[in-house]
Amino acid sequence: MSRTVRTHAAPQAARPSGAALCLVTGATGYIGGRLVRELLDAGYRVRCLSRNPDRLRDQPWADRVETVRADLADPASLTRALDGVEVVYYLVHSLGSGAGFEATEAAAAAHLADAAARSGTRRIVYLGALLPRGVAASELSPHLRSRAQVGEILRAGAVPAAELRAAVVLGSGSASFEMLRHLTERLPAMVTPRWVRTLIQPIAVRDVLRYLVAAAALPPEVNRSFDIGGPEVLSYREMMLRYARVAGLPRRVVVPVPVLTPGLSSHWVGLVTPVPAGLARPLVESLRHEVVCREDDIKRYVRDPPEGLLGFDDAVRLALARIKDAEVATRWSSAAVPGAPSDPLPTDPGWAGGSLYEDVRQAAVAADAAALWRVVEGIGGDHGWYSFPLAWALRGGLDRIVGGVGLRRGRRDPHRLRVGESLDFWRVEEIEPGRLLRLRAEMRLPGLAWLELRVQPDGPHRSRYVQRALFHPRGLAGHLYWWSVAPFHTFVFGGMTRNIAREAARGAAARPRRHGGLVGTLS
């Protein structure tokens, strides 16, 4: 069953004169990373708030924005961040984090609301979650309850706040879309929980972004929530069946059963899709109740585009095209995993932080540095890790079992990496193009771990590959962990070094070389 929601046209909200300055929190996340570009294209000036602004430096819009180091948990740091800001976008969520996240989110929202009032900010825009009708707050999932509470805190402040409430967001790289995509593609027949019959009103990410940008120009008296959704209401089962049709897959067999709880469902999703169980659980719990727009009052201020809102099939078709063409701007894993280590690699030789174990290996490579760098930057995802695939798969599987991200996050782009983005169970901490790739581990470990891959020129058509794995143990468990896996390093890290060198040499041999301005080809 599907239902079309009819809406009426209305005057478009006017953009304020001048280049208003917007502050975007959560700019490293899925929505925030895309919103920055949309705001810039709409003529706004943008400042991005981050605890680690270096993570934003490789974004395609990095040279067009200001960045400020601040923390929503530190009210004092927000004063500088909000100086001169007219509009604040609050896009920070602790989705998938541990116990106590509701109090953390509430405190962060209160700090932001107070700081915005002191700074003279005129508007707060918050992307919240569509809430089920007639369900008491006590019956909501912790995720939905927290989203609702944050919206209430922001609207109760002195600065007018517009809360846009959305359900499933359809777009290449969104957690909801990746969950839907992988469940449908990997399971031609599936036994599913009851929530696959729940009605949902999904919305395309491009329409979410359009509403967010327009909300900056809402009249000052507007201080309320708005439900936003696409033109169709569907069950999750219908979404899977229609996804299969758009993707050209055989018809899927979906059999709902009453015994799968949200907890069991989230582990099932974690096993089948790249979305880990810790992140899948709040998504699944949000689907226990019908999430359909109760009003369309946003139409009073934001006119639909001439072609109308993007429907489900078109949103899926567009997302699949982006994935196929490697044009995914941001992914659900763009934001750091809650609770994951964020400490930078201690590079001071006299570092006094305790033990730092190292595994260093290197190899001479029969290829120039450029050919070797192409292999290094393309590592992970579909290309794999160039050694003992079973060992990597087992390590990723163990990480998923204990609630980690595992290896299935893959890559955003098969050839290019950015500082701050995820790469399987690593996070890109540093890139020096052509020279260095440093990854920080986000798997569950009793300590902190990094993997450095270096490229050094070594004469004409020669280079040297240097690989360094580092581990800073936490307590006795950390030391025991290192020494328990050390015997396998020869197979895993040693094989990785040799195979990367061989792959670079093969790639160099297969590529035409330039001679005197002409391109020679291999016969």
Side-chain angles (χ1 to χ4, degrees), residues 44 47 65 74 110 120 146 160 163 184 200 251 276 309 316 333 357 362 400 408 415 430 458:
Y44 290 101
R47 178 182 296 161
V65 304
D74 177 14
S146 179
E163 177 187 0
T184 308
I200 308 160
R251 181 178 173 84
L309 300 177
V316 169
S333 56
Y357 292 115
Q362 54 184 300
R400 300 283 286 200
R408 295 209 201 106
H415 307 294
E430 182 60 83
D458 195 23

Side-chain angles (χ1 to χ4, degrees), residues 83 115 143 148 157 165-166 202 248 280 286 351 457 465 469 487 501 506:
D83 182 35
H143 163 59
R165 294 175 169 176
S286 300
W351 182 60
Y465 172 66
R506 279 197 296 266

Side-chain angles (χ1 to χ4, degrees), residues 192-198 256-260 265 287:
T192 56
R194 286 179 297 181
W195 51 258
V196 299
R197 296 173 175 170
T198 302
V257 296
V259 295
L260 290 175
S265 296
L287 300 174

Side-chain angles (χ1 to χ4, degrees), residues 56-75:
L56 299 171
R57 75 170 196 228
D58 287 342
Q59 293 288 346
W61 37 255
D63 59 349
R64 302 169 61 195
V65 304
E66 302 175 35
T67 59
V68 59
R69 187 182 303 275
D71 189 340
L72 292 170
D74 177 14

Side-chain angles (χ1 to χ4, degrees), residues 255-517:
V255 182
V257 296
V259 295
L260 290 175
T261 65
L264 289 174
S265 296
S266 63
H267 286 291
W268 168 62
V269 171
L271 288 172
V272 176
T273 81
V275 181
L279 179 57
R281 177 149 192 163
L283 295 176
V284 168
E285 287 179 334
S286 300
L287 300 174
R288 287 186 302 164
H289 306 288
E290 181 178 294
V291 278
V292 176
C293 293
R294 289 176 282 182
E295 42 84 9
D296 62 355
D297 295 350
I298 191 68
K299 310 296 184 184
R300 300 178 187 172
Y301 306 97
V302 183
R303 183 185 299 122
D304 284 348
E307 67 277 12
L309 300 177
L310 203 62
F312 178 85
D313 290 357
D314 287 337
V316 169
R317 197 171 288 114
L318 181 60
L320 291 176
R322 292 279 190 268
I323 294 169
K324 179 181 178 181
D325 296 338
E327 294 181 352
V328 180
T330 59
R331 301 173 69 229
W332 61 270
S333 56
S334 301
V337 175
S342 58
D343 306 52
L345 175 66
T347 54
D348 181 358
W351 182 60
S355 302
L356 189 63
Y357 292 115
E358 286 186 300
D359 182 283
V360 181
R361 300 172 191 269
Q362 54 184 300
V365 183
D368 61 21
L372 177 56
W373 177 253
R374 281 191 291 271
V375 177
V376 167
E377 193 177 11
I379 200 166
D382 291 340
H383 293 155
W385 292 89
Y386 294 98
S387 74
F388 207 177
L390 179 60
W392 287 93
L394 287 173
R395 185 63 185 87
L398 288 172
D399 195 55
R400 300 283 286 200
I401 289 172
V402 298
V405 295
L407 277 175
R408 295 209 201 106
R409 292 191 300 185
R411 300 173 53 111
R412 178 193 57 85
D413 182 290
H415 307 294
R416 298 288 177 265
L417 293 173
R418 298 174 184 165
V419 167
E421 71 181 2
S422 63
L423 174 59
D424 290 332
F425 50 39
W426 306 90
R427 178 79 53 182
V428 179
E429 180 173 277
E430 182 60 83
I431 299 178
E432 295 177 15
R435 296 180 54 205
L436 168 70
L437 172 62
R438 181 185 299 138
L439 307 175
R440 187 183 71 246
E442 288 191 333
M443 73 280 279
R444 298 293 179 92
L445 289 170
L448 305 175
W450 298 265
L451 182 62
E452 275 192 351
L453 316 179
R454 288 185 180 272
V455 173
Q456 299 173 349
D458 195 23
H461 311 305
R462 304 284 300 180
S463 57
R464 179 161 292 275
Y465 172 66
V466 181
Q467 176 181 291
R468 188 166 70 132
L470 301 103
F471 183 67
H472 171 42
R474 185 172 56 243
L476 178 61
H479 291 277
L480 292 175
Y481 172 82
W482 174 263
W483 289 113
S484 68
V485 299
F488 301 100
H489 288 175
T490 298
F491 304 102
V492 176
F493 291 137
M496 183 177 174
T497 303
R498 292 190 300 273
N499 291 331
I500 285 177
R502 290 171 186 163
E503 181 65 20
R506 279 197 296 266
R511 292 176 68 89
R513 290 182 180 174
R514 295 182 179 275
H515 299 284

